[in-house]
Amino acid sequence: MVTLKCPHCGEQFDFEAVTHLSPEDSHEEELLKGTLNCVSCPACQKILNVPVRLIYRDTQKPFLLVQEPKALPDEQAKALALQLDESATTAAMNQGVQRPVVRLVFSRPDFLEKLYLWKRGLDDRVIEFAKYQLFNGGTEEGELSLGRHRLLFDFSQKDESRLVFLVYNRQNGRPIRVLQVPMAEYQALDKEIRDNPQLRVEIDHCFPGCRVDVDELVKQLFQEKK
């Protein structure tokens, strides 16, 4: 239970936020509609979006996805990622169970992308590595700039023969076009990484912890070049 103060009228009231999700719960529709943890102020009826940490946990196919309600400075984000990774490892060892795949994100679109990549059985590390290649000239559908654009997996697309990414303008957050990649290209890259020990080491180096994101990969590569 959290106590809220309406920024529009100043009314204070209590709200029971949803903070934990699982494959068995019934909140997926609200999550997709963007209405999860939204509440109407009882005084002025304005709709408020309640910022809370959201955790998705799958115990059958061990997976832990955490969304922080707001972005953090780099050092704080790194410390939180390290804490989550260490806690997951320690808990798994103590309980004698398989360590879950752990992911940390800082926005709802990233949360949805990670969740549905997992549900579709797609390796998000391969997806983010593919994004990196697309940003570095691997597309014939117009110029992509990491500074100006974001790519997000379009989980609403049902055609299993292709991967579809929505290209967003970073400045205003709006989708500007669609980018399609044959699923066969993803599968070939995924197989190449799984079959090649050197590439497996490389992908582990690219994404060493729970922050699996092309932006983090670029930051890491930039630091290594200094």
Side-chain angles (χ1 to χ4, degrees), residues 4-15:
L4 304 176
K5 182 176 181 179
C6 178
H8 304 284
C9 69
E11 177 77 6
Q12 287 194 348
F13 59 98
D14 292 334
F15 174 67

PDB file of all heavy atoms in Angstrom, residues 4-15:
ATOM      1  N   LEU A   4      -0.548   8.317  -1.739  1.00  0.00           N
ATOM      2  CA  LEU A   4      -0.317   9.234  -2.851  1.00  0.00           C
ATOM      3  C   LEU A   4      -0.834  10.623  -2.522  1.00  0.00           C
ATOM      4  O   LEU A   4      -1.800  10.773  -1.768  1.00  0.00           O
ATOM      5  CB  LEU A   4      -1.020   8.726  -4.111  1.00  0.00           C
ATOM      6  CG  LEU A   4      -0.686   7.320  -4.582  1.00  0.00           C
ATOM      7  CD1 LEU A   4      -1.555   6.953  -5.781  1.00  0.00           C
ATOM      8  CD2 LEU A   4       0.783   7.209  -4.936  1.00  0.00           C
ATOM      9  N   LYS A   5      -0.184  11.609  -3.126  1.00  0.00           N
ATOM     10  CA  LYS A   5      -0.681  12.975  -3.064  1.00  0.00           C
ATOM     11  C   LYS A   5      -0.891  13.449  -4.489  1.00  0.00           C
ATOM     12  O   LYS A   5       0.049  13.499  -5.281  1.00  0.00           O
ATOM     13  CB  LYS A   5       0.306  13.894  -2.342  1.00  0.00           C
ATOM     14  CG  LYS A   5      -0.199  15.327  -2.203  1.00  0.00           C
ATOM     15  CD  LYS A   5       0.769  16.180  -1.400  1.00  0.00           C
ATOM     16  CE  LYS A   5       0.241  17.600  -1.248  1.00  0.00           C
ATOM     17  NZ  LYS A   5       1.164  18.452  -0.444  1.00  0.00           N
ATOM     18  N   CYS A   6      -2.120  13.747  -4.829  1.00  0.00           N
ATOM     19  CA  CYS A   6      -2.441  14.142  -6.201  1.00  0.00           C
ATOM     20  C   CYS A   6      -1.715  15.443  -6.550  1.00  0.00           C
ATOM     21  O   CYS A   6      -1.853  16.446  -5.846  1.00  0.00           O
ATOM     22  CB  CYS A   6      -3.954  14.326  -6.356  1.00  0.00           C
ATOM     23  SG  CYS A   6      -4.438  14.861  -8.019  1.00  0.00           S
ATOM     24  N   PRO A   7      -0.935  15.445  -7.628  1.00  0.00           N
ATOM     25  CA  PRO A   7      -0.216  16.668  -8.021  1.00  0.00           C
ATOM     26  C   PRO A   7      -1.146  17.755  -8.576  1.00  0.00           C
ATOM     27  O   PRO A   7      -0.736  18.903  -8.721  1.00  0.00           O
ATOM     28  CB  PRO A   7       0.744  16.164  -9.097  1.00  0.00           C
ATOM     29  CG  PRO A   7       0.072  14.967  -9.676  1.00  0.00           C
ATOM     30  CD  PRO A   7      -0.656  14.324  -8.535  1.00  0.00           C
ATOM     31  N   HIS A   8      -2.393  17.383  -8.865  1.00  0.00           N
ATOM     32  CA  HIS A   8      -3.336  18.345  -9.441  1.00  0.00           C
ATOM     33  C   HIS A   8      -4.141  19.081  -8.375  1.00  0.00           C
ATOM     34  O   HIS A   8      -4.360  20.295  -8.485  1.00  0.00           O
ATOM     35  CB  HIS A   8      -4.281  17.623 -10.409  1.00  0.00           C
ATOM     36  CG  HIS A   8      -3.575  16.875 -11.495  1.00  0.00           C
ATOM     37  ND1 HIS A   8      -3.006  17.502 -12.579  1.00  0.00           N
ATOM     38  CD2 HIS A   8      -3.340  15.543 -11.643  1.00  0.00           C
ATOM     39  CE1 HIS A   8      -2.455  16.580 -13.366  1.00  0.00           C
ATOM     40  NE2 HIS A   8      -2.641  15.391 -12.823  1.00  0.00           N
ATOM     41  N   CYS A   9      -4.588  18.351  -7.339  1.00  0.00           N
ATOM     42  CA  CYS A   9      -5.455  18.983  -6.338  1.00  0.00           C
ATOM     43  C   CYS A   9      -4.943  18.852  -4.908  1.00  0.00           C
ATOM     44  O   CYS A   9      -5.510  19.451  -3.988  1.00  0.00           O
ATOM     45  CB  CYS A   9      -6.877  18.429  -6.433  1.00  0.00           C
ATOM     46  SG  CYS A   9      -7.010  16.692  -5.889  1.00  0.00           S
ATOM     47  N   GLY A  10      -3.879  18.044  -4.711  1.00  0.00           N
ATOM     48  CA  GLY A  10      -3.317  17.899  -3.380  1.00  0.00           C
ATOM     49  C   GLY A  10      -3.985  16.850  -2.502  1.00  0.00           C
ATOM     50  O   GLY A  10      -3.568  16.644  -1.360  1.00  0.00           O
ATOM     51  N   GLU A  11      -4.996  16.186  -3.007  1.00  0.00           N
ATOM     52  CA  GLU A  11      -5.680  15.146  -2.231  1.00  0.00           C
ATOM     53  C   GLU A  11      -4.728  13.988  -1.916  1.00  0.00           C
ATOM     54  O   GLU A  11      -3.963  13.543  -2.770  1.00  0.00           O
ATOM     55  CB  GLU A  11      -6.875  14.615  -3.029  1.00  0.00           C
ATOM     56  CG  GLU A  11      -7.635  13.473  -2.379  1.00  0.00           C
ATOM     57  CD  GLU A  11      -8.545  13.934  -1.245  1.00  0.00           C
ATOM     58  OE1 GLU A  11      -8.670  15.170  -1.039  1.00  0.00           O
ATOM     59  OE2 GLU A  11      -9.149  13.072  -0.590  1.00  0.00           O
ATOM     60  N   GLN A  12      -4.772  13.496  -0.666  1.00  0.00           N
ATOM     61  CA  GLN A  12      -3.985  12.336  -0.274  1.00  0.00           C
ATOM     62  C   GLN A  12      -4.896  11.115  -0.159  1.00  0.00           C
ATOM     63  O   GLN A  12      -5.992  11.216   0.393  1.00  0.00           O
ATOM     64  CB  GLN A  12      -3.273  12.587   1.054  1.00  0.00           C
ATOM     65  CG  GLN A  12      -2.107  13.554   0.938  1.00  0.00           C
ATOM     66  CD  GLN A  12      -1.221  13.540   2.168  1.00  0.00           C
ATOM     67  OE1 GLN A  12      -1.575  12.985   3.195  1.00  0.00           O
ATOM     68  NE2 GLN A  12      -0.052  14.144   2.061  1.00  0.00           N
ATOM     69  N   PHE A  13      -4.418   9.984  -0.656  1.00  0.00           N
ATOM     70  CA  PHE A  13      -5.216   8.759  -0.570  1.00  0.00           C
ATOM     71  C   PHE A  13      -4.282   7.558  -0.713  1.00  0.00           C
ATOM     72  O   PHE A  13      -3.146   7.689  -1.182  1.00  0.00           O
ATOM     73  CB  PHE A  13      -6.306   8.726  -1.638  1.00  0.00           C
ATOM     74  CG  PHE A  13      -5.789   8.816  -3.059  1.00  0.00           C
ATOM     75  CD1 PHE A  13      -5.628   7.673  -3.837  1.00  0.00           C
ATOM     76  CD2 PHE A  13      -5.497  10.057  -3.626  1.00  0.00           C
ATOM     77  CE1 PHE A  13      -5.162   7.751  -5.137  1.00  0.00           C
ATOM     78  CE2 PHE A  13      -5.031  10.140  -4.931  1.00  0.00           C
ATOM     79  CZ  PHE A  13      -4.866   8.990  -5.692  1.00  0.00           C
ATOM     80  N   ASP A  14      -4.766   6.405  -0.274  1.00  0.00           N
ATOM     81  CA  ASP A  14      -3.985   5.170  -0.335  1.00  0.00           C
ATOM     82  C   ASP A  14      -4.305   4.388  -1.599  1.00  0.00           C
ATOM     83  O   ASP A  14      -5.436   4.411  -2.099  1.00  0.00           O
ATOM     84  CB  ASP A  14      -4.272   4.296   0.891  1.00  0.00           C
ATOM     85  CG  ASP A  14      -3.749   4.911   2.177  1.00  0.00           C
ATOM     86  OD1 ASP A  14      -2.781   5.696   2.106  1.00  0.00           O
ATOM     87  OD2 ASP A  14      -4.298   4.610   3.245  1.00  0.00           O
ATOM     88  N   PHE A  15      -3.295   3.691  -2.093  1.00  0.00           N
ATOM     89  CA  PHE A  15      -3.466   2.888  -3.311  1.00  0.00           C
ATOM     90  C   PHE A  15      -2.610   1.631  -3.187  1.00  0.00           C
ATOM     91  O   PHE A  15      -1.443   1.697  -2.797  1.00  0.00           O
ATOM     92  CB  PHE A  15      -3.036   3.688  -4.544  1.00  0.00           C
ATOM     93  CG  PHE A  15      -3.055   2.894  -5.822  1.00  0.00           C
ATOM     94  CD1 PHE A  15      -4.244   2.446  -6.365  1.00  0.00           C
ATOM     95  CD2 PHE A  15      -1.866   2.604  -6.489  1.00  0.00           C
ATOM     96  CE1 PHE A  15      -4.264   1.715  -7.545  1.00  0.00           C
ATOM     97  CE2 PHE A  15      -1.870   1.879  -7.675  1.00  0.00           C
ATOM     98  CZ  PHE A  15      -3.080   1.440  -8.202  1.00  0.00           C
TER      99      PHE A  15
END
